[in-house]
Amino acid sequence: MKFQDVISINDFGKEEIEYVLKTAKRLENELNEQKILQYAKGKVLATLFFEPSTRTRLSFESAMHRLGGSVIGFAEASSTSVKKGESLMDTIRTVEKYADVIVIRHPREGAARLAAEVAEIPVINAGDGANQHPTQTLLDLYTIKKEFGRINGLKIALLGDLKYGRTVHSLAKALSYYNVKLYFIAPQGLEMPRHIIEEISDKVEITETNDLESVIPEVDVLYATRIQKERFPDPAEYNKIKGSYRIDLKILNGAKEGLKIMHPLPRVDEISYEVDKTPYSAYFRQVWSGVPVRMALLSIVLGVIE
């Protein structure tokens, strides 16, 4: 994977995924060792965020700093020459002169792939529209593996906005490499896209439903997502669907013992705050997973780690 881009989870086979997870575990174990600060010493990460982000941007920056590197970039395009009409291609061609690796988030599907085609340095996709979010998927897998010690044999439910949710698109594809059972739970109109189901249905068992209560007693992992208002072309359609699901103590009465609830965050109203203090909550541990996983990805694409 040395000097390769990270654009889509489709670019990864199971062997590559497992290599990233193994490297992340190694680096997490080395966090208190001084040598970790030498891995990316003298290297520069450029973070180009044309769309809002908290966890993804800050965890990439934290990861680079922990590896001994430095960070440049922007958190909103309005403060750059994009506002003057500069094209994405020219922005990439400019920024690559200042950095060794680029992380980009963009509202337009395919923007990360275009950036990778233009750039001569590695490009990592931090989310392109409703398309893909491969680094989130890798940290999700890392979290599951830490929580259960395995991925194989688990029953995993993806809940909420499965149509526009790029995190669940990537995660469903990655989970198809493992011996798991998947449940897709969505309100009408926000179901998992058919092309994704067709792509993975011959590899993994899938159940589609809109009934969360019927699935709660079955699953080991409940991966919740918010209804993404910003992806809806018609605000009226969003208002019809918002609040379709809410995970609270009442619905968890029927939960399987050992259930872990995950969420890529930010949440709106789909998980009650009272759930945070229960043994079911894993979403803030999931937040931390972004640091070692992104440390691993940066190290690999920069070619600074064996």
Side-chain angles (χ1 to χ4, degrees), residues 72-89:
I72 61 174
F74 55 81
E76 54 181 46
S78 62
S79 63
T80 74
S81 292
V82 171
K83 192 170 183 180
K84 301 176 183 177
E86 183 174 65
S87 69
L88 175 61
M89 290 188 293

Side-chain angles (χ1 to χ4, degrees), residues 138-155:
L138 292 165
L139 78 87
D140 292 340
L141 295 175
Y142 187 72
T143 303
I144 293 170
K145 206 160 191 178
K146 284 188 73 174
E147 294 291 324
F148 293 92
R150 61 190 170 92
I151 297 174
N152 285 326
L154 297 177
K155 296 180 178 181

